[in-house]
Amino acid sequence: MTQEQTVRSAVECSGVGLHSGAPVSMRILPAPPGKGIVFRRIDLDGFEVEAISRNVARVSYATSLMKKGVLISTTEHLLSAFIGLGVDNAIVEIDNLELPILDGSALPFVELIQEAGLRKQRRPRKYLKILREVEMREGNKFISVYPAGSYSVSYSINFPHPLIGKETLQVELSNGSYLRKIAGARTFGSREDEKAMRDMGLIRGASRENCIVLTCDGIENGPLRFPDEFVRHKVLDLVGDLALLGKPILGRIVADRAGHAMHTALVSRILRDKTLWEEVTLSQEEHDTASSYSAHASAGSSL
Ligand SMILES: [Zn+2]
């Protein structure tokens, strides 16, 4: 797609927030070209908060936006689904402070958007094309971006758990790979950390239905959807956090043991330095070239 897209019709769902446990109804509505993704708190007179880096508020176990004291919590899974499906413009109405966690992955959001359908808009889509590399390190955590003609991610994690350990996933995000490889990966947490997190006011909505629950040597609610579901979920989160750039990126991301804080730090670092990138539109021909390159690259990596 070289043009911007929005949803064709309004769709809705409801659930609870992962951290607040608060019940919430959500509606996704079409939006005009150039609008971007905008959250609307219908319980607060329709106050709008744009899904852009400037509104990033609190980032620890989830990415939350805030504008004039109005909070929109845990935005990453829905934003990830929008990027994965190529939705540039949409209004997201919610009637509470946190998005629904649903099954802990982006799949229910993907299915909801597919139910709405997509509508191509007249405005050419602008990409943020990385021109120079950026590398950020914090202790043993690392995140970087390098110039590339398409959007790809290489993510590594190293969790001291018998089912996880070191996992690395390399993925091209165009050409349907997001839907096949990333969208269904669920969030996860351990019984061991549960009490401390609840004491911090977190994961009040967590359950075996919306998160993979790790015990000291296994999982409570198997089977996993992918053997390496954990690192896939990290890619899902990264894609959602990078959506806060405000436009799709052309670049290769490499991350090692990063998290929401580093993802969003990379976003603000990129946006702060305008010599690192340029805005480009793609002709149909360039777009096809990028996609066939992607198809080739992902076929190669699956061997
Ligand atoms: Zn997540």
Side-chain angles (χ1 to χ4, degrees), residues 232-253:
R232 288 176 194 244
H233 187 79
K234 297 297 286 189
V235 174
L236 188 160
D237 280 342
L238 172 76
V239 170
D241 288 336
L242 258 57
L244 299 166
L245 287 164
K247 42 184 92 62
I249 187 171
L250 295 175
R252 182 169 67 90
I253 308 281

Side-chain angles (χ1 to χ4, degrees), residues 125-159:
R125 173 181 290 151
K126 286 187 181 134
Y127 290 83
L128 190 152
K129 183 174 166 49
I130 296 294
L131 300 175
R132 289 197 293 128
E133 67 181 46
V134 182
E135 297 183 334
M136 299 172 79
R137 203 176 291 276
E138 214 185 280
N140 61 7
K141 301 174 178 180
F142 176 77
I143 194 164
S144 57
V145 61
Y146 306 96
S150 62
Y151 184 11
S152 66
V153 174
S154 172
Y155 212 119
S156 302
I157 57 172
N158 195 349
F159 275 33

Side-chain angles (χ1 to χ4, degrees), residues 49-50 52-60 62-75 244 261 264:
V49 181
E50 301 81 7
I52 50 171
S53 175
R54 199 173 55 233
N55 292 330
V56 169
R58 219 178 35 213
V59 181
S60 50
T63 299
S64 298
L65 305 174
M66 191 189 276
K67 186 176 174 185
K68 296 188 178 163
V70 173
L71 195 64
I72 309 282
S73 269
T74 316
T75 54
L244 299 166
T264 54

Side-chain angles (χ1 to χ4, degrees), residues 2 25 37 43 48 50 54-55 60 72 93 142 145 150 162-163 171 180 187 214 219 230-231 249 263 269 280 300:
T2 57
S25 292
I37 306 297
D43 55 327
E48 291 191 344
E50 301 81 7
R54 199 173 55 233
N55 292 330
S60 50
I72 309 282
E93 292 185 342
F142 176 77
V145 61
S150 62
L163 275 186
V171 63
R180 284 197 315 276
T187 193
L214 294 162
I219 59 173
F230 308 96
V231 71
I249 187 171
H263 302 163
R269 170 78 183 276
V280 297

